[in-house]
Amino acid sequence: MRSASVKTTINVELLKSSVEEFGNLVAQTRDLISARDSQSNRTTLRATAESANSTMRSISLQVDAIPPSGQPLELTRTIQSFRQFSAIFKQVHPAALEKLAKPMPISTYSAAMEGTSTAAVHHAEPSFGTQSSQQDLEQIDAEIEHNNLIIQDRQQSIHQIQTKVEEVNIIFKDLAEIINEQAPLVDNIEHNIEVASRHTDRGVQELVAAEKSSKRSFLFF
């Protein structure tokens, strides 16, 4: 039974567009987490986080189907960008879920229901919860910034390696051109050596003949 080989065809531009959309959703999710908490904020945050999560899963299925080697450079860079966005989203998503799971702050509904002033509501609201949430967000931002620096460093290393590989390829091409250019000269030198060798053999023979002729002339005299 003949085994059929399955070839995966990837639309690079479509995948690149999906990755860019995913990156925008991740950035929006992060901004909504640090934004002022309200009912509309939570509604938007929930929809954005769910959309980002769904997009990440969809792109993951496409990326997993791509062979690990032999891909164009643009596709490789698109996959790297997706993995970077995924790493950031995996840190941001738990913070979004945590914010959505917390009770709504008093300041969002107490003033509207009881007619109290905004200042009184903020005065009655526990301060430690806000401080703790702010510290968590700052810690997440610090971790994300640290991971971004690591990713940038790896990208620079990969770029340097690619540059060196390209330089080596150029050197090999130059050597090949030099060898092709020098080939006729080498052949000409080899031909001249053969001609010189034949002339040398003939010269030796003529010297031997001349010596014999000289001896005969000496004996004659």
Side-chain angles (χ1 to χ4, degrees):
M1 182 177 181
R2 182 180 298 176
S3 59
S5 60
V6 180
K7 183 178 180 180
T8 304
T9 303
I10 298 296
N11 189 327
V12 179
E13 292 299 327
L14 182 60
L15 180 62
K16 184 178 180 180
S17 177
S18 299
V19 171
E20 291 177 353
E21 179 184 358
F22 175 57
N24 292 331
L25 290 172
V26 173
Q28 293 174 14
T29 302
R30 179 183 173 185
D31 293 339
L32 289 169
I33 292 173
S34 58
R36 182 177 178 274
D37 197 1
S38 65
Q39 186 61 43
S40 61
N41 170 264
R42 293 194 176 200
T43 301
T44 307
L45 175 59
R46 180 179 288 104
T48 305
E50 290 177 354
S51 179
N53 192 31
S54 176
T55 304
M56 182 180 68
R57 292 180 179 178
S58 176
I59 298 176
S60 295
L61 293 177
Q62 300 179 52
V63 171
D64 291 342
I66 298 175
S69 60
Q71 300 302 330
L73 181 59
E74 184 177 5
L75 178 58
T76 302
R77 290 177 176 174
T78 301
I79 294 175
Q80 290 177 351
S81 298
F82 168 67
R83 289 174 178 169
Q84 293 171 9
F85 292 143
S86 298
I88 296 173
F89 181 70
K90 288 178 181 179
Q91 295 181 354
V92 172
H93 193 217
L97 297 178
E98 181 181 357
K99 181 175 183 178
L100 294 173
K102 287 182 179 180
M104 186 70 66
I106 298 175
S107 58
T108 33
Y109 62 87
S110 179
M113 295 180 61
E114 300 177 3
T116 56
S117 64
T118 305
V121 171
H122 282 289
H123 179 72
E125 184 180 0
S127 60
F128 65 88
T130 303
Q131 294 176 355
S132 176
S133 177
Q134 185 66 26
Q135 291 176 355
D136 291 341
L137 291 176
E138 290 177 356
Q139 182 178 0
I140 292 173
D141 289 339
E143 292 178 354
I144 292 174
E145 183 177 358
H146 177 68
N147 289 334
N148 287 337
L149 292 175
I150 294 176
I151 292 172
Q152 291 177 1
D153 182 65
R154 290 180 179 176
Q155 286 180 333
Q156 291 177 356
S157 298
I158 293 173
H159 179 70
Q160 291 176 356
I161 293 173
Q162 292 175 345
T163 302
K164 291 181 180 179
V165 170
E166 292 175 357
E167 291 176 354
V168 172
N169 289 333
I170 293 174
I171 291 174
F172 276 113
K173 290 180 180 179
D174 291 342
L175 287 175
E177 292 178 358
I178 292 173
I179 291 173
N180 290 332
E181 293 176 356
Q182 297 296 330
L185 296 177
V186 173
D187 294 338
N188 190 22
I189 292 172
E190 183 178 1
H191 174 72
N192 291 337
I193 292 174
E194 292 178 354
V195 172
S197 177
R198 290 196 297 268
H199 288 174
T200 301
D201 292 340
R202 186 178 299 172
V204 171
Q205 293 175 359
E206 290 179 357
L207 287 174
V208 171
E211 183 180 3
K212 291 181 179 179
S213 176
S214 176
K215 289 181 179 179
R216 291 176 182 174
S217 298
F218 178 77
L219 291 176
F220 177 76
F221 286 109

